[in-house]
Amino acid sequence: MRTTALLLLLVGCGSTEQTRRTFPVEVVVSAPSTPLDSGWTVSELEGAMPLTELRFYEGRVLVGRRWSPVDLLVATAHAHPGHYVPGEAMAELLVPMPVDLSARAPQPWAVADAVTGSYGSARLAFGGEGVRVRGSATKAGRLVRFDTGALVLGGPLTGLRFEHELTRAPGTMRLEVDLGVLLARVDFDQAGALPDGAGVVVLDPGSVAFNGFERGVTDAGSYRFTWQDN
């Protein structure tokens, strides 16, 4: 059955002056137009990101520092920095969405069930097929055609920042997936490549490059939510 904490919140809407509403959600994928922090320039990006769930909460997220190349030496990553309490559920969307990472036009997802009020954060869940990116990378005259391989996440990303006072005014929630941030930590010099028979470098799951890919996928900065007024 659907609606967990969200329906419990709706029961109390009369006292909190919150009202039920819905809003459409769309996904936009952006590609970098300048070299990554690693020095590589990536192009011809394509791939898939299977999304399964999107939820919004009232709790706000502490802002952390931007990553640095030193982070490549650390084996773990977190979607949100510091202390985070999600608080009350404000909206949910439970329809699977296969995001095409080669598309640059907005991709409609579905309609979220929601209540009005102060939004502070979001949670995003991924399907078992895993996130996968393919493309070309160049650096100092070297060309690498790459395939990250599939990254299957062990759980949803929580504490994704989105601060907005949602009213009854019409609009669309936009999720931007930033491939520039997502691939920023991938050093193709340390790919530990697995052969695919077609001249494509497939990242070894145990390599530094794949670790950088995992850190990018789980980086809150790879995902930005904005409210688009209609």
Side-chain angles (χ1 to χ4, degrees), residues 3-116:
T3 65
T4 52
L6 181 59
L7 274 188
L8 294 177
L9 177 64
L10 290 175
V11 172
C13 283
S15 59
T16 62
E17 298 184 354
Q18 291 173 318
T19 58
R20 298 190 190 198
R21 63 159 298 167
T22 61
F23 55 76
V25 179
E26 65 182 20
V27 181
V28 173
V29 180
S30 63
S33 57
T34 58
L36 304 176
D37 289 351
S38 62
W40 290 90
T41 298
V42 291
S43 60
E44 303 175 302
L45 298 176
E46 59 180 30
M49 176 177 285
L51 302 179
T52 59
E53 175 187 302
L54 175 61
R55 295 178 187 269
F56 290 93
Y57 297 89
E58 67 172 0
R60 297 197 173 193
V61 183
L62 297 177
V63 179
R65 66 177 178 84
R66 191 173 185 270
W67 86 281
S68 76
V70 176
D71 293 338
L72 291 173
L73 303 177
V74 183
T76 59
H78 301 279
H80 61 84
H83 185 61
Y84 166 66
V85 178
E88 297 285 357
M90 304 298 289
E92 66 178 13
L93 189 164
L94 306 178
V95 179
M97 166 64 169
V99 177
D100 179 1
L101 297 181
S102 68
R104 299 295 172 258
Q107 302 175 58
W109 188 344
V111 174
D113 295 317
V115 294
T116 58

Side-chain angles (χ1 to χ4, degrees), residues 72 75 131-133 147-153 182 185-188 190-194 202-218:
L72 291 173
V131 180
R132 189 168 196 159
V133 183
D147 183 338
T148 63
L151 170 64
V152 179
L153 301 183
L182 194 144
R185 297 171 172 87
V186 181
D187 186 350
F188 297 97
Q190 304 184 64
L194 298 174
V202 182
L203 304 189
D204 187 321
S207 68
V208 172
F210 190 85
N211 177 262
F213 174 57
E214 180 176 5
R215 290 177 63 78
V217 173
T218 57

